[in-house]
Amino acid sequence: MNKITRVGIAGTGLIGKGLALEIEKQRELKLSKVLTRRDISTMSDYPFQVVLTNSTDDFIENCDLIVECSGDVIYGTEVIDKVIKASIPVITMNAELQVTTGSYFANRGFITEAEGDQPGCLASLHENVVEMGFKPLVYGNIKGFLKLDPNIEDMKYFSKKNGVRLDMTTSFTDGTKVQIEQALVANGLGAGIAVDGLLAPSSNDLNEAGEVLAEEANRLGHPICEFVLAPKAPPGVFITAEHDTRQKDALRYYKMGEGPYYTILQNYHLCHLEIMKTIKRVINGGGVLLNNGENPTVSVAAIAKRTLKPGEKIEKGIGSFQVRGEAVKIAENNGHVPIGLLVDAVMKREVAEGEIITFYDVELPESLALRAWYDTVGKKAVNI
């Protein structure tokens, strides 16, 4: 009961720094190491300089559990691979990594996404509503704004205003982030998607939108992951579900409406502040909250925002002004390139605006992330 768990954090951005502040307040936890690629001598603003390290080996040797929140698919995959090989449990707040290489690790060790970002919050809400006897039909994400091809001037303005990296700001705005999040939920909770790119209805009435989406889920015969564009709704998540008809009168009394569909809303997600719940869950043997599963059925393809020419370089697909991501059914999109793998990529063929980039179209540098994708998904989904 008195054991102190040494927690390491990979990443020193908004999430990693905020989490470090919270861990330091916990008596049963010790912030042991923080892994960063930055020059430590320039990080005088970091609150716990003594724990900073550039060495992955040093990081692993001093941790009982790690939280990966670098926001980088390629780098994060390399770090997690070493941590998993050392039999150390991994918590991520990195949905981008989970939908790209998470299944590779789900087959090899303990990895779970954290509560706090929308996927983890939906997984936690799922556990709650199922315990109450509900049958989930819609796993819903709430988005306040969407612009598929934002301009760089606006993105720089909001990046500076909010203190969030330019690429992250862009991926939030063009929908890539929410598509990634819902693909992860679909894979992790055994759901699916209704259509490639998601239906994404616009409505500030979540009950109404939930009912429409629940009807579609019933038509398809399986739960679906979706998002609703709702500028006036809170920044949270919801589940629309059915219940035993014998509970109809009670649910009406509890102000849940007439049924047959009931929408349960969590009206917040507090990112790094909620990671603490997952850390304690793992320490106490609570098991995986959510990961990409061992056999994913949904991926996030890269869609050209404009015509891409041979020889053009894509430094990083997620959050770029060249491509955006859309959740797609793996079985129906043979050869698509997951947007998380588009790093230092060079176009080999022209791809028109709105088209999916395939492995025929682009040259990708060798990486563990690329090999991991082929190992878990590519054997079924890539025929090149």
Side-chain angles (χ1 to χ4, degrees), residues 19 286 296 300 331 335:
L19 177 60
V300 182

Side-chain angles (χ1 to χ4, degrees), residues 204-215:
N204 285 309
D205 187 332
L206 296 178
N207 289 311
E208 182 180 87
E211 289 179 7
V212 171
L213 292 170
E215 289 282 4

Side-chain angles (χ1 to χ4, degrees), residues 22-325:
E22 292 305 307
I23 289 175
E24 276 295 299
K25 292 155 53 175
Q26 305 293 319
R27 287 189 298 178
E28 69 272 36
L29 304 178
K30 176 185 178 182
L31 179 64
S32 55
K33 287 292 177 180
V34 174
L35 182 64
T36 180
R37 288 172 290 177
R38 297 163 60 187
D39 182 347
I40 294 173
S41 67
T42 67
M43 297 177 64
S44 58
D45 61 332
Y46 194 79
F48 310 109
Q49 295 214 357
V50 68
V51 300
L52 292 170
T53 182
N54 294 132
S55 167
T56 305
D57 291 339
D58 180 38
F59 179 64
I60 291 171
E61 288 171 7
N62 289 281
C63 297
D64 302 313
L65 175 154
I66 75 107
V67 179
E68 203 292 322
C69 52
S70 69
D72 189 309
V73 173
I74 307 299
Y75 169 73
T77 296
E78 293 171 350
V79 171
I80 291 174
D81 183 57
K82 293 181 179 180
V83 174
I84 290 285
K85 286 176 178 176
S87 300
I88 296 172
V90 175
I91 297 171
T92 64
M93 185 163 281
N94 193 341
E96 295 88 343
L97 181 146
Q98 282 279 2
V99 298
T100 311
T101 60
S103 295
Y104 177 80
F105 297 118
N107 282 293
R108 287 165 170 74
F110 184 95
I111 181 170
T112 182
E113 181 77 350
E115 201 169 339
D117 220 350
Q118 287 94 331
C121 287
L122 272 170
S124 177
L125 186 59
H126 164 85
E127 290 185 344
N128 189 18
V129 302
V130 168
E131 287 292 332
M132 291 189 286
F134 288 95
K135 176 187 174 184
L137 292 172
V138 181
Y139 297 100
N141 205 322
I142 303 168
K143 190 160 180 60
F145 57 91
L146 180 67
K147 190 172 184 180
L148 297 181
D149 190 13
N151 65 65
I152 191 169
E153 290 78 16
D154 286 348
M155 294 300 93
K156 285 181 176 179
Y157 169 79
F158 286 109
S159 172
K160 183 177 180 180
K161 178 181 178 180
N162 296 322
V164 177
R165 287 190 338 232
L166 178 62
D167 62 315
M168 294 177 66
T169 302
T170 306
S171 75
F172 300 158
T173 303
D174 69 12
T176 299
K177 179 68 170 176
V178 71
Q179 299 275 344
I180 287 170
E181 290 168 345
Q182 295 311 92
L184 170 55
V185 174
N187 291 329
L189 296 184
I193 58 176
V195 296
D196 289 351
L198 308 184
L199 294 169
S202 297
S203 175
N204 285 309
D205 187 332
L206 296 178
N207 289 311
E208 182 180 87
E211 289 179 7
V212 171
L213 292 170
E215 289 282 4
E216 180 65 12
N218 266 332
R219 187 187 70 82
L220 292 169
H222 61 76
I224 60 174
C225 293
E226 272 294 337
F227 74 93
V228 176
L229 190 60
K232 295 182 180 179
V237 296
F238 68 92
I239 289 175
T240 300
E242 294 176 315
H243 209 297
D244 187 331
T245 55
R246 293 172 295 179
Q247 299 285 4
K248 182 175 181 177
D249 290 342
L251 287 166
R252 183 193 302 115
Y253 176 72
Y254 296 146
K255 305 296 188 292
M256 292 298 294
E258 294 294 327
Y261 305 123
Y262 304 95
T263 293
I264 301 97
L265 170 69
Q266 178 179 308
N267 64 353
Y268 65 90
H269 71 287
L270 300 179
C271 296
H272 68 271
L273 297 179
E274 296 190 73
I275 296 177
M276 198 61 60
K277 290 186 282 183
T278 309
I279 291 174
K280 293 180 179 180
R281 173 194 179 99
V282 173
I283 291 171
N284 293 324
V288 170
L289 174 66
L290 176 76
N291 61 34
N292 204 51
E294 296 185 10
N295 297 289
T297 60
V298 181
S299 178
V300 182
I303 311 291
K305 289 182 175 179
R306 56 172 174 77
T307 298
L308 302 175
K309 300 290 187 179
E312 184 171 348
K313 186 173 183 179
I314 300 175
E315 291 186 5
K316 184 180 180 184
I318 296 174
S320 80
F321 297 92
Q322 297 160 292
V323 297
R324 58 183 176 84

